[in-house]
Amino acid sequence: MGLFSWQQTLQSFGVDAVAVEQTFTDLVKAYSTSDRHYHTLKHIDHVLNTIDTLQTYAQHLPAVQLAAWFHDVVYDTQAQDNEERSADYACELLSNFGIPTNTIATVSRLILNTKHHQAATNDYDSQVLLDADLAILAANPVQYQKYARAIRQEYAWLSELEYMTGRRQVLEHFLQQQRIYHTPLMFQVAEQSARSNLQAEIQTLNLSHG
């Protein structure tokens, strides 16, 4: 994906090629900091690939793709306002590109919705982005464990007990949802795998704590 995908998304808005390349370099830098282990360009690539699979559900596909690129651009596990700062980053950059204000507003709203992973029943663009962002939860068990370990590394500053307590809350919150995935396709093919993975991780956390 990478640069080609970024170019393709912005091409439809007639953005200057040099500016596209420069901002891509900035994005790569942001997603490549040493404190990131899961929230890297690989994650963005996975999200974009999943959006591609779910694109028939989207109402404004370019906005969903742009939101995917920016949704974790600011990622500090010790901060509470990552989504707000990522949305601000996106708004400023897209304004400089001359992207229509209604598209920018959609991108910003989509990014902010990744904070609590909730979407209204008729907000199909958010549903696509959120399902793509959480697609990792339905990975095969080996990949899922790799993901879980990478998240732990991003929270290395937390003690084992603090991390296990917080992580368990997050996992249980997902399990309490009526459905983790919003789009019919993801609900059909991924819901059960995701629930199994989440339950398995909770069990692991309980064992290591016990």
Side-chain angles (χ1 to χ4, degrees):
M1 279 242 165
L3 178 59
F4 178 66
S5 163
W6 177 242
Q7 284 169 328
Q8 266 197 320
T9 307
L10 286 167
Q11 225 167 24
S12 55
F13 295 103
V15 179
D16 172 66
V18 178
V20 169
E21 224 160 303
Q22 178 52 52
T23 50
F24 181 74
T25 307
D26 295 341
L27 279 175
V28 170
K29 210 179 289 181
Y31 280 105
S32 305
T33 53
S34 60
D35 53 345
R36 290 176 183 253
H37 301 274
Y38 171 69
H39 292 89
T40 60
L41 278 178
K42 194 178 172 189
H43 168 58
I44 301 305
D45 194 38
H46 188 219
V47 171
L48 288 165
N49 278 321
T50 310
I51 288 169
D52 217 31
T53 307
L54 300 173
Q55 62 179 285
T56 51
Y57 299 115
Q59 289 175 313
H60 191 181
L61 186 62
V64 179
Q65 290 166 327
L66 285 170
W69 275 106
F70 289 109
H71 80 286
D72 285 325
V73 71
V74 176
Y75 187 74
D76 172 3
T77 54
Q78 299 191 53
Q80 299 294 314
D81 60 350
N82 290 320
E83 291 79 10
E84 289 82 356
R85 285 162 65 205
S86 294
D88 288 346
Y89 183 107
C91 289
E92 192 181 333
L93 194 142
L94 296 174
S95 297
N96 292 341
F97 278 163
I99 304 288
T101 49
N102 59 338
T103 300
I104 297 175
T106 302
V107 170
S108 177
R109 179 175 58 77
L110 292 173
I111 294 169
L112 293 173
N113 279 349
T114 64
K115 192 178 184 87
H116 301 293
H117 283 98
Q118 285 170 337
T121 38
N122 61 348
D123 185 359
Y124 302 112
D125 288 336
S126 280
Q127 291 177 15
V128 168
L129 178 62
L130 297 182
D131 280 8
D133 193 27
L134 296 180
I136 187 66
L137 300 183
N140 69 56
V142 174
Q143 271 181 310
Y144 182 88
Q145 282 161 19
K146 238 171 112 173
Y147 147 75
R149 280 196 300 272
I151 295 292
R152 176 63 183 113
Q153 284 177 281
E154 291 183 339
Y155 285 86
W157 53 276
L158 278 178
S159 74
E160 204 59 33
L161 181 59
E162 285 172 318
Y163 180 75
M164 285 191 294
T165 307
R167 180 69 178 162
R168 198 187 293 118
Q169 280 176 344
V170 170
L171 302 176
E172 282 169 353
H173 171 74
F174 280 126
L175 285 172
Q176 282 157 11
Q177 304 302 309
Q178 205 176 352
R179 48 195 289 171
I180 294 167
Y181 297 111
H182 304 277
T183 60
L185 179 64
M186 285 296 280
F187 183 68
Q188 189 188 335
V189 303
E191 186 81 12
Q192 285 316 310
S193 303
R195 287 184 180 276
S196 299
N197 282 331
L198 294 171
Q199 281 156 348
E201 189 182 349
I202 288 173
Q203 221 170 344
T204 308
L205 291 170
N206 290 341
L207 284 172
S208 51
H209 185 211

